[in-house]
Amino acid sequence: MTRFFVIILRELRIGLRHLSDISAVLAFFALVATLFAFGVGPLALGDLAGGVLWTAALLAAMLSLDRLFQPDHDDGGLVLLVLSPVPLELVVLAKVIAHWLTAGVPILVLAPLLGFALQLPEGSLSGLLTGMALGTPILSLLGALGAALVLGARRAGVLTALLILPLVIPVLIFGVAATDPANGAAPVLFLAAMLLGALALCPWATAAALRQSVL
Amino acid sequence: MHALANPTRFMRLAGTILPWTIAAAAVCLAAGLWQALVVSPPDYQQGETVRIMYVHVPSAWLAMFIYMVVAAGSASFLIWKHPLADVAAQAAAPIGAAFTAMALATGAIWGQPTWGTWWVWDARLTSVLVLLFLYLGYIALVNAFDDPERGARAGAVLALAGVINIPIIKFSVDWWNTLHQPASLTRLDAPAIHSSMLVPLLLMAAGLFMYFLAVLIIRMQSAMLVRRSRALGRVACGTAGPQA
Amino acid sequence: MTAGAPPLFSGEDIACQRGGHELFRGVGFALWPGDALLLTGPNGSGKTSLLQVMAGLRPPSAGRLDWHGRDIREDLAAHAGRLHHVGHRTGSRAILTAEEDLLFWSRVRGPASRQRCLLALARFDLLRLKDLPVQALSSGQQRRLALARLLATPADIWLLDEPAVGLDRSGLASLEAAVARHRGSGGIAVIASHTPVELAEPVRGLALEQSGERVPEHGS
């Protein structure tokens, strides 16, 4: 178990030394939201704010996926991780947690600020944050699968988005629905269920993809 | 199933089966089109436009079914290392994508007179659209590697992830649809289909299925030939002797 | 080395395919405690792939590998736990310091001790560079850092893929000394190298031939 935390700590240490990567993801998040404001005009924003924030968060999360496994693949560390006594599924989980802490949580922190800027309705903020707190880990889990699948591929970045974005449509649907208090608790519960499902299945599939990529 | 595991035996068997599937596809499609366009009555509400259903609905069925074929092929490739399963999965995917595109196109053409618009964000159409994205992602991933083996393996994992996700996507899209659209749209499929419509529908479905089988066999045959010639080509490069 | 004792680590009739193309077949070896195996063969003959097969990373297309007479595929995790694999790429992250990197990998493998890591760095003459980020090290120094992992945690089998690339004379001497100590304590070393590495006798040899003579079969 300590090995699990050793991996998380290493990833966090690397993440903190590449602070510009984290700020780039956040800047992208804010930029996409701003683009929507320009695109639809300030008057129509209020009702759209939840959907805009979620879409921007999805795209920003996609942008951060290439640092999950690509550096390990490039420097040969992935082989050592596959050969380590830690089950590869746990290695994946540790990296996903570290990724969520360095990509999902910053997005979560920035979301309320952008919510104010986009005139998110008063009662929607708690729903947005609850939804994102449950949804962003799903993005990290599914994103890890995508990032592992494209290791060694040509045009890996755009490919990850092409593979993963269709799979995260349910997260978007329920996440945006959670921002509307009229929908009650159902969307949040669906998100929680999907998070549990993704937690159970994604590390396993990602580990399978990683084992193939080291050959 | 294990008799098919041997590539040589598969090639022989495929050569025997192929003419029969082509013939069956031709017969079923001819009879189905005749039934659909001539024999079956126009709908009392939609008139003649209902006839596009005989292409649209079987296409949507096949689009779904072929994704299952891709997933099943991927599973047997990953789990049992069946040497032909990945060939089958990769050969089936573009056919499935084509049927998905056909279902979307015919849906749009059908929607114009029925709904007065080419596209509505109806739960079914939207789900089929997402299915098309899943197909495109799979095809892109399989072809993104210089090593075809690696592409096959990555694609197989993705196909399985996709097939687990399809029910969740379908559910979420249905839920989303009830959230955003009052159920005022006329449902396209009547709950009970009269036999005068069912016969052409099933004939068309059988014909398109046979067509799928025929194209699948042809695509698998050519994939096997490509694989063999690639192996031979590498040998020739490796020895590079005067005889090569 | 006793003639009667069964080998500790052995392979029998191993074949390996890559990209649908057979690299080699019918390869076998038998190693007793303290043995060294030198893999030779031209580029593309499958030395790296054979080392991956020995590590359990790549499934052989035929044949079996045994540890203590038991197929390694029965428990690949345990097999991975008893070996060190040093490949072409060093596995060190550029942004971490040499010491952080070595400590991380020894903690992941365990049992980790900082003392042992420092000793390993000293053996490969990296002690004064331990606080430099890996990206500031030369490629030969990065290679030494990868080799220092061999000493930071114990393992029965060392699988070394071109370990001497980029090493200077003293680095090579450190490597040779490390291999000698490892073998002296009953370890096994498998080395693929084009650079001559001086190894104490007895050294077993395994020569792979230029691949590609055979047409890959598609059933029969």
Side-chain angles (χ1 to χ4, degrees), chain B residues 165-240:
Chain B
N165 254 284
I166 280 179
I168 303 172
I169 295 173
K170 181 88 179 83
F171 168 73
S172 68
V173 169
D174 284 347
W175 191 85
W176 166 80
N177 197 51
T178 57
L179 199 65
H180 288 273
Q181 284 183 334
S184 63
L185 289 172
T186 41
R187 305 268 302 185
L188 287 177
D189 52 339
I193 290 185
H194 192 261
S195 66
S196 63
M197 298 169 96
L198 192 63
V199 171
L201 189 63
L202 290 180
L203 272 173
M204 286 299 290
L208 288 179
F209 177 75
M210 282 299 161
Y211 169 81
F212 159 65
L213 271 191
V215 179
L216 178 69
I217 291 174
I218 294 170
R219 286 183 53 85
M220 283 179 72
Q221 283 176 328
S222 60
M224 303 287 294
L225 290 176
V226 166
R227 193 181 270 198
R228 198 174 290 185
S229 67
R230 191 186 289 125
L232 287 168
R234 197 170 312 171
V235 170
C237 293
T239 51

Side-chain angles (χ1 to χ4, degrees), chain B residues 3-42:
Chain B
L4 288 177
N6 183 316
T8 318
R9 205 175 300 161
F10 166 79
M11 292 296 264
R12 209 163 45 224
L13 191 66
T16 329
I17 293 177
L18 185 58
W20 296 98
T21 48
I22 293 176
V27 169
C28 287
L29 284 176
L33 283 174
W34 179 68
Q35 281 273 333
L37 299 179
V38 181
V39 177
S40 77

Side-chain angles (χ1 to χ4, degrees), chain A residues 61-131:
Chain A
M62 289 301 116
L63 204 66
S64 66
L65 290 173
D66 59 344
R67 62 181 146 92
L68 251 171
F69 300 117
Q70 193 66 50
D72 290 298
H73 183 259
D74 293 342
D75 68 22
L78 201 52
V79 179
L80 296 175
L81 286 172
V82 170
L83 286 175
S84 80
V86 188
L88 197 53
E89 289 77 8
L90 279 183
V91 174
V92 170
L93 194 59
K95 281 179 154 282
V96 164
I97 290 172
H99 176 264
W100 181 68
L101 289 173
T102 54
V105 169
I107 286 176
L108 199 57
V109 170
L110 190 59
L113 291 179
L114 289 176
F116 291 129
L118 295 176
Q119 293 145 27
L120 186 79
E122 279 294 306
S124 296
L125 189 62
S126 67
L128 177 80
L129 290 181
T130 321

Side-chain angles (χ1 to χ4, degrees), chain C residues 105-184:
Chain C
W105 288 117
S106 64
R107 281 187 181 139
V108 164
R109 269 189 62 93
S113 103
R114 182 151 188 275
Q115 216 52 45
R116 223 181 138 131
C117 285
L118 291 177
L119 182 68
L121 287 171
R123 285 263 159 81
F124 280 94
D125 199 17
L126 288 169
L127 206 49
R128 68 208 154 76
L129 305 172
K130 72 182 171 64
D131 294 324
L132 281 184
V134 170
Q135 60 197 359
L137 303 181
S138 75
S139 65
Q141 287 164 339
Q142 292 185 17
R143 170 68 47 183
R144 287 170 190 237
L145 179 59
L147 292 170
R149 278 202 298 271
L150 295 168
L151 305 179
T153 52
D156 295 315
I157 311 171
W158 289 5
L159 302 173
L160 310 180
D161 196 355
E162 297 292 347
V165 167
L167 288 184
D168 57 13
R169 194 179 294 270
S170 82
L172 190 59
S174 304
L175 170 65
E176 288 165 350
V179 171
R181 268 194 308 276
H182 172 62
R183 292 174 62 195

